[in-house]
Amino acid sequence: MADYHFVYKDVEGASTQWDDIQRKLGNLPEKPPAFKPAPFTPANDQASLPKDKSWIDEKTEQDLEDLEDNPDLDDDRFLEEYRKKRLAELRETAKVARFGSVVPISGSDFVREVSQAPADVWVVVILYKEGIAECGVLMQCLEDLAAKYPATKFVKIISTDCIPNYPDRNVPTVLVYNSGAVKANHVGLRSFGRRCTPEGVALVLCQSDPVLNDGQSGNGRSRKAVIDGVRKRFIEKVVTEHENDDDGSSSD
């Protein structure tokens, strides 16, 4: 006949009087503490948190579009107006971010990239040839201006890809377009003065029209306002260079 043995276990952490006596005498190790689960803390409900400007600022453009019919904003006119304002700012920033450098194009791209550019975008086109030093000098100036005025579109194209048999003696040539029409053309490096600098090129480009746009002041700026801004940048650069020269002299 099988011999069955039963082992009885008490509740975890429980102890008998005999065990307690043995522990006092040092015959048994200390009783481990009873298990206690960590207190339950419910997670914050994002929908119930108060909504303010910072809540709107954290949203992406897509998030703000999705909030258009959100009932939480129906009763808060301030937040709804701020949502619209913030959405417009993000869209304008995205628009400006399209440019910022001199982009190479081919002859087949010209109509799409230049002639069909939006009416509120000025396009500066440089016709150039590799290996001609004057083209490199002007290109560097335009790269600098493209970074400073990212709402103006700058493109470059090999001269003969744009105009077949265009003479090398005429490069670099800069064409300024707006609304599909040529607004100005500047043939040769000398068109930009004896010493070609980004500031000098900027002043020449804005002689007749507000070509340069930094994306921060809107598209309705006058020619005078743009030129004043270019002159201000030029003065700031001269002052900075002068201060750097003074620092170098004093260190000697």
Side-chain angles (χ1 to χ4, degrees):
M1 188 175 185
D3 185 14
Y4 294 98
H5 298 276
F6 295 93
V7 177
Y8 294 94
K9 285 189 175 182
D10 206 339
V11 178
E12 183 179 357
S15 177
T16 64
Q17 187 176 14
W18 174 254
D19 289 339
D20 293 339
I21 293 172
Q22 294 302 312
R23 285 193 177 91
K24 288 181 180 180
L25 297 175
N27 297 327
L28 288 177
E30 289 294 325
K31 182 174 66 173
F35 170 75
K36 283 188 177 181
F40 173 73
T41 303
N44 289 328
D45 181 5
Q46 296 295 324
S48 66
L49 295 177
K51 297 174 177 57
D52 53 15
K53 288 177 62 176
S54 61
W55 180 74
I56 294 288
D57 289 337
E58 293 172 354
K59 302 295 182 184
T60 64
E61 181 179 347
Q62 184 61 52
D63 292 337
L64 293 176
E65 290 177 351
D66 294 341
L67 285 173
E68 183 173 0
D69 299 321
N70 191 304
D72 292 340
L73 300 184
D74 290 344
D75 298 329
D76 195 324
R77 185 175 179 181
F78 168 77
L79 275 185
E80 174 58 19
E81 291 299 320
Y82 188 70
R83 181 194 70 83
K84 293 178 180 178
K85 177 183 176 183
R86 180 62 180 154
L87 183 58
E89 290 174 351
L90 290 176
R91 285 173 175 170
E92 185 64 24
T93 300
K95 177 182 175 181
V96 171
R98 289 183 300 173
F99 313 125
S101 63
V102 182
V103 179
I105 63 171
S106 64
S108 60
D109 299 328
F110 195 91
V111 172
R112 182 182 70 252
E113 297 293 338
V114 179
S115 303
Q116 295 179 351
D120 62 342
V121 174
W122 287 86
V123 186
V124 177
V125 186
I126 177 173
L127 279 57
Y128 74 103
K129 268 290 184 69
E130 294 288 355
I132 297 179
E134 290 84 352
C135 293
V137 172
L138 184 55
M139 191 74 73
Q140 187 60 49
C141 292
L142 294 181
E143 288 284 4
D144 186 86
L145 294 178
K148 290 179 179 176
Y149 300 96
T152 297
K153 187 174 186 177
F154 288 80
V155 299
K156 62 182 179 181
I157 182 172
I158 295 174
S159 57
T160 49
D161 285 353
C162 183
I163 305 173
N165 303 317
Y166 193 72
D168 288 353
R169 67 176 179 273
N170 289 346
V171 296
T173 293
V174 170
L175 306 175
V176 179
Y177 274 76
N178 183 249
S179 299
V182 179
K183 299 297 184 180
N185 65 85
H186 309 281
V187 179
L189 191 63
R190 290 190 177 184
S191 300
F192 301 98
R194 290 184 299 174
R195 183 169 176 259
C196 187
T197 65
E199 294 74 24
V201 174
L203 290 173
V204 172
L205 290 176
C206 296
Q207 278 179 348
S208 303
D209 297 288
V211 175
L212 300 179
N213 186 349
D214 60 7
Q216 305 299 319
S217 309
N219 293 319
R221 302 180 73 197
S222 67
R223 169 182 166 274
K224 181 180 182 302
V226 173
I227 289 181
D228 287 345
V230 171
R231 285 175 175 162
K232 180 182 177 183
R233 287 177 182 266
F234 177 72
I235 293 171
E236 290 173 348
K237 179 180 179 181
V238 171
V239 170
T240 301
E241 291 177 348
H242 181 69
E243 290 175 346
N244 291 338
D245 289 342
D246 289 345
D247 291 341
S249 300
S250 61
S251 62
D252 294 339

